[in-house]
């Protein structure tokens, strides 16, 4: 066998096949969990085109009215239409969470690659620091920093991203440290490729699935952090709103039994977390588990 | 034995590094508060010469590294400053609220373990039946719900039946024990359901996997009843990984309790942290962050040490 094929060809082809599942397969894996996510995205971003009520329009004659034809999900304490508010809140929640996940993804990937591909002492120092960071309670850190700063969307996305990256960094580091001694990396090094080139063109594609899985988990994590913070009134400020903030407003009115202010945002938060989580699971274990 | 000591020393050093990081972080936070400490103490309408005087009095005009050392000195002496809003020493305030938080955490964890055992064993025993799949669906549903959503829905469902705010009825000067328990039930149950949602699935899958192994068939052939097999042979094996997971889930539980305390207006540490963040009471906020951070780090350390003693295989992992 080794005489027929040039050394390494078969091996590299096998690695590529293992590392990159066909695009169609990935799409098939993702379709079921992504249906839920697509529905939530449509609700939040396309919904306002179908349901043309202003989410911030105050109507003093319809304060806390129960669901009706005019207001399918009722109105809040200022008479604002709850359905329109849920749509606007969804757009804010999902876009800020996606931005936060992107920040965490870039940070975690860079940190993990530096640790996994750098020399031994750099690796050790970075991993010790990572352990120390991982031990901090992230929600407490988030509460503290969000009390200190102006809570606009960009700042929120940066803050949540800055807190969410450590688990990804550890995974990337372990994977990169395992990959760096494989034949295809060594041969790239022999050909004169620098560390940055190898990291971008060889290591990252080889752990594509790991990155995709953890990107979806990061989105779930960011949604959880953002909804928790805005539930506590520390993230998205009025007049704009988010699912967490809507739920928080509903909780303050629990004594009035305004269930329509509590159940829909709670279910939407749960559904978005479930969708992001199951997309990750489907990527990780294949279609069956979704 | 030597391996155990080495591992514990390494874990201790790791926890110490985390604590140093935490203290440094709070120092940065204290300096990042808008306007600096003088404005935080005197209010935003203070005159510039007063700012200079206050800065001099509290040492804020000295070199930064000197202030950092002073920060450590004050912490080691247990002094965390005075709350702006409540005008009381932060340390005493925090300890009072921490006691109530601990009560909630312990009762929540207790309920959670009971729910996990009941739900997990039932799910594992009837793994492939319709009942088992129903239990699995319930676990997944609670798993996707953040703690504050569980708490909110419980409060909505039990409205009128159980109190959903505070720790006791305000109309009585000396609330009875039963009244306190009634107030504790819903927040503790929310925490318990969070624990259950994270752990029951692992227990169920562990039990189902053990039940497929040949030794359970041997026990059955010996004439042991199904419940005796479960309790004497299967459970001890399936429970061991659960202790690790329980330790790992403690930080998430502590974080979840912040939101749960705010749902039920339960005056614990998380609630205090939340209120001080909303009202920009920085000494109290920073003290709260230090205490919860310290508790999380030490809790993790303790869980890891217990695990190392219980399961020596972790030494060589």
């Amino acid at each position: 066998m080794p005489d027929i094929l040039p050394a390494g060809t078969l091996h590299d082809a096998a690695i590529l096949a293992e590392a990159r599942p066909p695009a169609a397969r990935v799409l098939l894996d993702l379709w079921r969990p992504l249906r839920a996510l697509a529905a939530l995205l449509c609700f939040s971003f396309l919904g306002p085109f179908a349901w043309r009520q202003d989410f911030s329009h105050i109507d003093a004659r319809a304060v806390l009215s129960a669901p009706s034809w005019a207001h399918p999900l009722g109105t809040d304490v200022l008479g604002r239409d709850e359905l329109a508010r849920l749509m606007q809140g969804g757009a804010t929640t999902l876009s800020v969470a996606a931005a936060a996940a992107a920040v965490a993804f870039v940070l975690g990937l860079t940190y993990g690659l530096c640790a996994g591909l750098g020399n031994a002492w750099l690796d050790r120092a970075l991993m010790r620091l990572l352990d120390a960071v991982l031990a901090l309670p992230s929600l407490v850190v988030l509460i503290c920093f969000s009390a200190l700063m102006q809570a606009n969307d960009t700042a929120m996305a940066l803050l949540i991203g800055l807190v969410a990256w450590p688990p990804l960094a550890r995974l990337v580091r372990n994977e990169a440290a395992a990959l760096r001694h494989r034949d295809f990396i060594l041969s790239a090094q022999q050909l004169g490729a620098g560390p940055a080139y190898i990291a971008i063109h060889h290591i990252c594609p080889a752990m594509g699935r790991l990155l995709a899985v953890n990107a979806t988990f990061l989105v779930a994590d960011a949604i959880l952090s953002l909804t928790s913070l805005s539930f506590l009134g520390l993230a998205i400020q009025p007049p704009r709103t988010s699912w967490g903030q809507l739920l928080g407003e509903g909780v303050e009115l629990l004594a009035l039994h305004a269930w329509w202010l509590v159940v829909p945002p709670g279910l939407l938060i749960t559904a978005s977390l479930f969708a992001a989580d199951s997309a990750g699971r489907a990527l990780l274990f294949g279609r069956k588990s979704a | 034995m030597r391996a155990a000591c080495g591992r514990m020393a390494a874990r201790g050093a790791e926890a110490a590094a985390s604590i140093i990081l935490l203290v440094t972080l709070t120092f940065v936070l204290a300096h990042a508060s808008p306007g600096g400490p003088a404005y935080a103490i005197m209010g935003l309408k203070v005159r510039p010469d007063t700012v200079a005087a206050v800065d001099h009095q509290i040492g804020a005009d000295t070199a930064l590294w000197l202030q950092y050392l002073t920060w450590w000195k004050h912490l080691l002496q247990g002094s965390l400053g005075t709350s702006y809003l409540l005008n009381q020493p932060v340390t005493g305030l925090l300890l009072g609220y921490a006691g109530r938080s601990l009560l909630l955490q312990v009762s929540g964890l207790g309920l959670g373990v009971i729910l996990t055992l009941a739900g997990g064993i039932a799910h594992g025993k009837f793994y492939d039946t319709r009942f088992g799949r129903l239990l699995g669906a319930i676990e997944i549903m609670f798993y996707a719900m953040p703690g504050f959503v569980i708490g909110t829905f419980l409060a909505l469902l039990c409205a009128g039946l159980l109190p959903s705010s505070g720790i006791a009825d305000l109309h009585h000067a000396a609330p009875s024990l039963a009244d306190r328990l009634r107030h504790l039930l819903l927040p503790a149950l929310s925490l318990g359901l969070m624990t259950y949602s994270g752990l029951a699935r692992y227990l169920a899958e562990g039990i189902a996997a053990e039940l497929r192994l040949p030794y359970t068939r041997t026990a059955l052939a010996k004439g042991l009843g199904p419940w005796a097999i479960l309790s004497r042979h299967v459970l001890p094996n399936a429970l061991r990984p659960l202790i690790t997971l329980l330790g790992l889930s403690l930080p998430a539980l502590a974080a979840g309790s912040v939101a749960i305390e705010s749902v039920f207006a339960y005056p614990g540490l998380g609630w205090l942290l939340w209120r001080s963040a909303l009202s920009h009471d920085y000494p109290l906020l920073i003290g709260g962050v230090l205490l919860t951070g310290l508790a999380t780090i030490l809790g993790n350390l303790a869980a890891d040490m217990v695990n190392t003693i219980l399961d020596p295989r972790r030494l060589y992992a």
Side-chain angles (χ1 to χ4, degrees):
Chain A
M1 194 66 179
D3 299 330
I4 305 168
L5 281 169
T9 311
L10 196 69
H11 190 48
D12 278 3
I15 287 170
L16 279 182
E18 161 200 341
R20 287 187 196 170
R25 172 80 200 287
V26 173
L27 281 180
L28 209 63
D29 283 356
L30 273 176
W31 172 237
R32 269 184 62 183
L34 277 192
R35 258 187 325 198
L37 209 55
L40 288 169
L41 284 171
C42 280
F43 172 78
S44 307
F45 291 97
L46 301 180
F49 293 106
W51 182 249
R52 293 174 165 279
Q53 287 243 18
D54 184 8
F55 75 91
S56 57
H57 176 70
I58 294 174
D59 184 358
R61 285 162 304 171
V63 168
L64 279 179
S65 58
S68 63
W69 284 112
H71 302 287
L73 289 177
T75 58
D76 71 356
V77 72
L78 293 175
R80 293 175 292 195
D81 182 61
E82 183 72 3
L83 179 59
R85 289 179 71 68
L86 282 169
M87 288 170 176
Q88 201 276 328
T92 315
T93 304
L94 295 177
S95 51
V96 173
V103 171
F105 185 77
V106 171
L107 279 174
L109 183 61
T110 317
Y111 194 96
L113 285 176
C114 285
L117 301 178
N119 57 28
W121 65 263
L122 180 70
D123 182 23
R124 186 164 290 190
L126 286 180
M127 290 328 276
R128 284 289 86 83
L129 182 64
L130 191 68
D131 284 334
V133 175
L134 271 171
L136 296 176
S138 59
L139 186 65
V140 170
V141 175
L142 279 174
I143 288 177
C144 205
F145 274 101
S146 55
L148 282 171
M149 41 184 245
Q150 287 291 325
N152 61 42
D153 286 4
T154 323
M156 246 27 256
L158 280 175
L159 179 62
I160 293 172
L162 274 172
V163 172
W165 60 270
L168 177 68
R170 163 164 296 180
L171 286 171
V172 168
R173 180 256 165 209
N174 290 344
E175 193 74 8
L179 279 171
R180 69 185 292 186
H181 300 297
R182 296 274 285 263
D183 289 347
F184 68 112
I185 302 292
L186 294 178
S187 66
Q189 276 171 344
Q190 292 299 313
L191 287 170
Y197 183 90
I198 288 180
I200 294 168
H201 289 95
H202 293 287
I203 303 272
C204 283
M207 48 189 189
R209 186 166 267 233
L210 174 101
L211 291 180
V213 168
N214 285 284
T216 54
F217 286 152
L218 279 179
V219 172
D221 200 36
I223 294 177
L224 182 61
S225 296
L226 180 68
T227 47
S228 303
L229 276 183
S230 44
F231 176 78
L232 296 172
L234 292 165
I236 310 292
Q237 296 301 324
R240 296 178 61 249
T241 189
S242 66
W243 287 339
Q245 191 203 37
L246 286 169
L247 187 63
E249 286 171 3
V251 169
E252 284 174 21
L253 300 169
L254 264 183
L256 302 173
H257 302 295
W259 58 267
W260 59 91
L261 297 180
V262 173
V263 176
L267 288 181
L268 282 170
I269 292 170
T270 308
S272 60
L273 287 171
F274 182 73
D277 198 64
S278 54
R281 269 165 211 276
L283 273 176
L284 192 59
F285 302 118
R287 199 148 42 99
K288 255 190 343 196
S289 65
Chain B
M1 199 56 216
R2 175 175 289 173
C5 289
R7 183 175 162 83
M8 288 192 182
R11 276 297 281 126
E14 214 168 76
S18 296
I19 291 172
I20 292 172
L21 193 73
L22 180 71
V23 171
T24 312
L25 188 73
T26 51
F27 178 73
V28 172
L29 282 174
H31 276 262
S33 60
Y39 286 98
I41 295 170
M42 306 293 290
L44 288 174
K45 288 180 177 166
V46 64
R47 291 215 314 272
D49 50 329
T50 324
V51 170
V54 171
D55 275 352
H56 185 70
Q57 194 191 338
I58 61 175
D61 55 351
T62 54
L64 208 59
W65 64 270
L66 217 62
Q67 291 184 48
Y68 183 66
L69 288 185
T70 320
W71 185 256
W72 270 102
K73 200 181 100 191
H74 284 263
L75 285 185
L76 293 177
Q77 289 167 344
S79 104
L80 292 165
T82 309
S83 159
Y84 303 152
L85 283 178
L86 302 169
N87 206 17
Q88 288 174 40
V90 167
T91 317
L93 265 175
L94 285 179
L95 291 180
Y97 282 80
R100 284 193 288 263
S101 260
L102 197 64
L103 174 70
L104 175 59
Q105 294 270 345
V106 170
S107 42
L109 205 61
L111 274 179
V113 169
I114 293 172
L115 284 172
T116 305
L117 284 178
I121 291 173
H123 185 189
K125 180 92 179 109
F126 302 104
Y127 195 72
D128 285 324
T129 66
R130 195 168 285 176
F131 176 60
R133 276 193 288 274
L134 177 71
L135 284 175
I138 292 174
E139 283 156 16
I140 289 186
M141 186 186 74
F142 280 119
Y143 184 73
M145 276 189 184
F148 57 90
V149 175
I150 297 181
T152 312
F153 283 6
L154 274 183
L156 189 69
L157 281 177
C158 302
L161 300 175
L162 281 168
S164 65
S165 93
I167 49 167
D169 200 339
L170 290 175
H171 302 297
H172 300 288
S176 64
L177 182 66
D179 186 41
R180 281 173 179 276
L181 285 179
R182 267 160 44 87
H183 280 80
L184 188 62
L185 186 59
L186 282 185
L189 189 60
S190 314
L191 274 179
L193 282 171
M194 278 179 73
T195 320
Y196 161 78
S197 71
L199 299 182
R201 183 159 209 90
Y202 289 98
L203 180 60
E205 277 171 10
I207 288 176
E210 294 283 335
L211 281 176
R212 283 186 218 112
L213 292 180
Y215 78 88
T216 49
R217 214 183 316 144
T218 312
L220 200 65
K222 253 172 35 184
L224 229 58
W227 291 105
I229 295 177
L230 204 62
S231 62
R232 259 184 257 163
H233 293 287
V234 170
L235 260 188
N237 288 333
L239 277 179
R240 205 177 298 125
L242 213 65
I243 296 170
T244 313
L245 285 167
L246 195 65
L248 286 176
S249 70
L250 285 180
L253 214 59
S257 77
V258 177
I260 285 177
E261 284 178 6
S262 87
V263 171
F264 293 102
Y266 184 92
L269 206 53
W271 182 84
L272 192 68
L273 203 70
W274 173 51
R275 296 314 303 182
S276 57
L278 277 181
S279 52
H280 301 277
D281 187 347
Y282 295 113
L284 196 55
L285 179 61
I286 286 165
V289 169
L290 266 174
L291 190 64
T292 33
L294 211 60
T296 312
I297 293 169
L298 294 180
N300 273 338
L301 183 66
D304 205 56
M305 300 235 161
V306 170
N307 263 319
T308 309
I309 294 165
L310 283 181
D311 187 1
R313 279 175 303 178
R314 282 172 63 84
L315 288 177
Y316 308 101

